[in-house]
Amino acid sequence: MERTLSIIKPDAVAKGVIGKILDRFESNGLKIAATRKIQLSRAEAEAFYAVHSERPFFNDLVDFMISGPVVVSVLEGENAMQKNRDLMGATNPKEAEVGTIRADFAQNIDANAVHGSDSVENAAIEIAFFFSEREIS
Ligand code: IDP
């Protein structure tokens, strides 16, 4: 069993598609081992995306991630990290395959509906950023 971190971003929360996105996970063999709706602080968003701090889009990304509440979840299942990435689709929704979460629910590369850990190593770090072990079942 593998775990990965998912974030339903502020655009998708504002659109009212939390349930539809969580259903994609559950319908495709991923269990929701933990989930929570939260408002990120600027410091939290900057820390979470620290790997992108030198990128030109960093400030816009942080502003966007704190523009409204998000839903953070731990997904669990076989190949959970890659399975979630496949369900999400490409970073730019214009390039995302038909039937993926980003193709169906995202507007553009800034407001692209979901985040998913991009490696098993990063998943462990990102899960620990939001959840204690006793919150995950
Ligand atoms: P990912 O979310 O598909 O893993 P990353 O390359 O890790 O994509 O980028 C993190 C987030 O930063 C993206 O989801 C997107 O919201 C934003 N982002 C990435 N590249 C760009 C860009 O070129 N312009 C604006 N935002 C971007």
Side-chain angles (χ1 to χ4, degrees), residues 9 49 52 55 57 61 85 91 102 109-110 112 115-116:
K9 295 186 178 183
Y49 278 117
H52 293 309
R55 308 277 284 274
F57 57 81
L61 176 60
R85 297 289 302 185
T91 306
R102 281 169 167 165
I109 196 166
D110 300 294
N112 64 358
H115 164 86

Side-chain angles (χ1 to χ4, degrees), residues 48-132:
F48 184 79
Y49 278 117
V51 63
H52 293 309
S53 62
E54 302 303 319
R55 308 277 284 274
F57 57 81
F58 180 68
N59 286 331
D60 287 345
L61 176 60
V62 169
D63 283 344
F64 169 64
M65 290 301 288
I66 65 172
S67 66
V70 298
V71 175
V72 292
S73 305
V74 177
L75 307 179
E76 192 172 74
E78 223 170 279
N79 301 317
M81 185 281 294
Q82 191 57 52
K83 189 175 273 183
N84 180 42
R85 297 289 302 185
D86 293 346
L87 292 172
M88 288 163 58
T91 306
N92 185 346
K94 290 189 183 70
E95 292 161 13
E97 268 184 63
V98 175
T100 60
I101 292 168
R102 281 169 167 165
D104 290 346
F105 302 120
Q107 18 271 10
N108 53 55
I109 196 166
D110 300 294
N112 64 358
V114 279
H115 164 86
S117 309
D118 63 1
S119 70
V120 175
E121 295 72 33
N122 283 341
I125 294 166
E126 292 182 355
I127 289 168
F129 188 91
F130 288 110
F131 295 97
S132 65

